[in-house]
Amino acid sequence: MAAPNALNVEAKFIDSSKGRGLFSKQDIKEGETILDETPLVSTQFLWNELYKYQACEYCLRSLEKAEAMARRLANNPALTLPFPECCEVKTEEIVVCPQCQMLYCSEECRKASWDRHHQVLCLGSSSQDSDHPLARLQEIWRNIHYPPETASIMLICKMIAMVKQTSNPGSMVHSFNQFVKSTVNEEQQIAHKLLGQEFKDQLELLRSTTAAILFDDSIQQWFTPEGFQSLFALIGTNGQGIGTSSISVWVKNCDDLSLPEDKRKELDDFIDKMYEELENEAGMFLNCEGAGLYQLTSSCNHSCEPNASITFPYNNHISSLVALKDIHPEEEIFISYISECQRGRSRHSRQKILRENYIFNCHCKKCNDEADQPDVTSEEDMESDEEADEMDNI
């Protein structure tokens, strides 16, 4: 597994309002990888897993052959992908937990999971038992937090399990304490955003159920109502979405093929049509999706004109921070917390999205340059806001 390359970056405290930021220690050219980072912990989203997106329990690598995944998502069992050699999934290397049959892409990942958290969380022979306490907790979460998921109770469970399994609980707790923390009021707003109108009752149900399964004296503060809310806010604030897909890897490898012009056009047309089928049937849910906690990347502050972006080029949970512009020594590295489409909207709409989802007002250069714009939303932005609100209420 790749480790953070911290030689060219440094996380530094800025001030009480911004907290930390990530700064370059050297010249970085546009297009260069600034940092590859393995998360401290990651997990697949529970709805994603329920709908048979097969991913490695530890690293979230997509485990379906590209053709099988495309057939499932397009609901077309006759779909056949050309150039099957461009699919990198090696089904012969997939292993399972001998107790609960959890899937892993390799023996390395199975062992890493067992050594870090799976001993505590393994369901054993009860893996198909919906009455198992951990299975009930997962069902509670699914009934509270519908797709599109933006966090998971399993991140908290894995955090607790990591503390329970380690020989040095204090050091592990310290690692999690390095992530950005929110005020009590912000924590409530984050919980409300993730859980909806009944967030207090739902948060208490999650807390009491988690405590009944995983309580540990060494971290009893995590199981109090205040402590659990803080954990929930931590994953809501710092959780980085992860997406993997054997289809996208197949497409990338197809793009690298040396083909005659007519064959290239034929392949490109096939891929365009395939994606149209996938999107018509599966909509936006094309990837194995999850979330992770990244110690260095989580230090990146937001800008509506970012100079870096996060990608997942290895088809697993290792993230790459890539420069979008030339970055100079002592310059802060910014990513965007909102999509490219959202960044093209008015300042008013961008601020609204950031306040609702991340509990802050943006003062980046773009927002400051547009400070004189009226705080009104264009007709197009209003329609987009209404659509977003409808999605939040699904």
Side-chain angles (χ1 to χ4, degrees):
M1 294 295 180
N5 175 15
L7 297 178
N8 59 351
V9 296
E10 180 182 10
K12 297 192 294 187
F13 180 78
I14 301 174
D15 57 42
S16 57
S17 62
K18 287 187 176 181
R20 295 186 303 166
L22 193 67
F23 292 82
S24 175
K25 294 167 64 176
Q26 63 185 45
D27 282 313
I28 301 171
K29 297 296 183 184
E30 178 182 345
E32 284 186 7
T33 297
I34 302 168
L35 171 73
D36 278 350
E37 185 172 11
T38 299
L40 187 60
V41 60
S42 65
T43 191
Q44 186 180 3
F45 287 147
L46 290 175
W47 276 108
N48 194 258
E49 181 182 355
L50 185 70
Y51 281 120
K52 303 187 185 306
Y53 291 78
Q54 293 182 11
C56 174
E57 190 273 336
Y58 183 72
C59 79
L60 271 66
R61 183 182 299 277
S62 178
L63 298 182
E64 281 183 289
K65 287 280 191 180
E67 185 172 88
M69 189 175 190
R71 287 177 173 179
R72 177 176 59 83
L73 292 175
N75 194 24
N76 180 1
L79 183 59
T80 301
L81 303 190
F83 304 105
E85 67 275 13
C86 288
C87 177
E88 294 184 1
V89 175
K90 297 179 175 60
T91 54
E92 67 276 10
E93 294 183 4
I94 295 173
V95 298
V96 300
C97 170
Q99 281 78 35
C100 68
Q101 309 304 303
M102 188 71 74
L103 295 174
Y104 297 92
C105 68
S106 65
E107 177 61 23
E108 179 187 6
C109 277
R110 187 203 66 78
K111 186 176 186 306
S113 177
W114 183 257
D115 290 345
R116 289 176 71 80
H117 48 66
H118 193 61
Q119 292 178 53
V120 169
L121 299 177
C122 181
L123 296 180
S125 60
S126 303
S127 59
Q128 304 302 317
D129 183 3
S130 60
D131 289 331
H132 189 284
L134 190 57
R136 289 204 305 274
L137 177 63
Q138 293 173 348
E139 180 63 21
I140 289 169
W141 173 259
R142 285 194 295 266
N143 288 335
I144 289 172
H145 195 76
Y146 295 99
E149 288 178 273
T150 53
S152 177
I153 188 63
M154 289 309 297
L155 270 181
I156 292 178
C157 290
K158 285 187 175 183
M159 291 167 64
I160 296 169
M162 288 169 71
V163 175
K164 290 168 74 74
Q165 284 193 209
T166 185
S167 60
N168 191 342
S171 177
M172 184 63 69
V173 170
H174 176 74
S175 295
F176 289 120
N177 285 341
Q178 299 306 300
F179 289 95
V180 175
K181 294 189 174 182
S182 307
T183 66
V184 172
N185 183 55
E186 288 171 339
E187 289 173 354
Q188 291 180 347
Q189 291 183 63
I190 292 165
H192 183 277
K193 179 66 180 178
L194 290 174
L195 299 179
Q197 294 300 318
E198 303 300 321
F199 83 92
K200 288 185 177 179
D201 292 340
Q202 292 170 343
L203 191 63
E204 175 55 25
L205 178 60
L206 289 168
R207 185 202 67 81
S208 60
T209 307
T210 303
I213 303 168
L214 296 172
F215 182 83
D216 191 274
D217 284 333
S218 67
I219 44 172
Q220 55 183 295
Q221 71 275 14
W222 283 7
F223 295 97
T224 66
E226 297 79 12
F228 193 77
Q229 181 174 275
S230 294
L231 283 184
F232 211 81
L234 184 149
I235 66 168
T237 302
N238 298 278
Q240 169 64 50
I242 301 168
T244 67
S245 169
S246 55
I247 296 174
S248 63
V249 173
W250 174 82
V251 170
K252 178 183 180 299
N253 289 337
C254 283
D255 288 342
D256 293 338
L257 292 173
S258 179
L259 297 173
E261 186 175 341
D262 60 332
K263 294 296 183 182
R264 169 57 60 191
K265 184 179 186 309
E266 182 180 326
L267 178 58
D268 289 345
D269 289 345
F270 174 87
I271 291 172
D272 288 342
K273 183 180 178 183
M274 176 193 69
Y275 270 118
E276 185 177 337
E277 279 192 65
L278 297 177
E279 290 169 2
N280 285 341
E281 188 68 26
M284 60 189 288
F285 302 105
L286 299 183
N287 299 328
C288 297
E289 296 179 345
L293 296 176
Y294 296 81
Q295 289 176 298
L296 282 174
T297 308
S298 69
S299 299
C300 288
N301 286 311
H302 164 82
S303 171
C304 296
E305 287 185 326
N307 56 11
S309 67
I310 297 172
T311 64
F312 292 88
Y314 307 110
N315 193 33
N316 61 16
H317 65 184
I318 298 174
S319 69
S320 284
L321 187 62
V322 179
L324 297 176
K325 306 173 183 177
D326 289 350
I327 300 173
H328 305 293
E330 300 302 318
E331 185 176 348
E332 186 172 1
I333 298 169
F334 292 101
I335 60 174
S336 176
Y337 296 176
I338 59 179
S339 69
E340 184 175 358
C341 178
Q342 291 170 328
R343 294 201 303 271
R345 292 162 63 178
S346 69
R347 177 182 182 275
H348 174 81
S349 290
R350 296 196 309 271
Q351 296 280 4
K352 180 175 183 288
I353 295 167
L354 290 166
R355 278 195 302 272
E356 290 182 351
N357 291 280
Y358 300 98
I359 326 297
F360 74 90
N361 291 313
C362 182
H363 297 287
C364 72
K365 183 179 184 303
K366 182 175 182 178
C367 285
N368 288 340
D369 289 346
E370 296 175 356
D372 292 336
Q373 287 186 355
D375 281 338
V376 295
T377 309
S378 67
E379 182 177 341
E380 180 181 345
D381 282 343
M382 286 178 65
E383 291 174 358
S384 299
D385 288 342
E386 289 171 2
E387 291 172 3
D389 290 340
E390 288 174 3
M391 286 295 293
D392 286 342
N393 293 325
I394 291 177

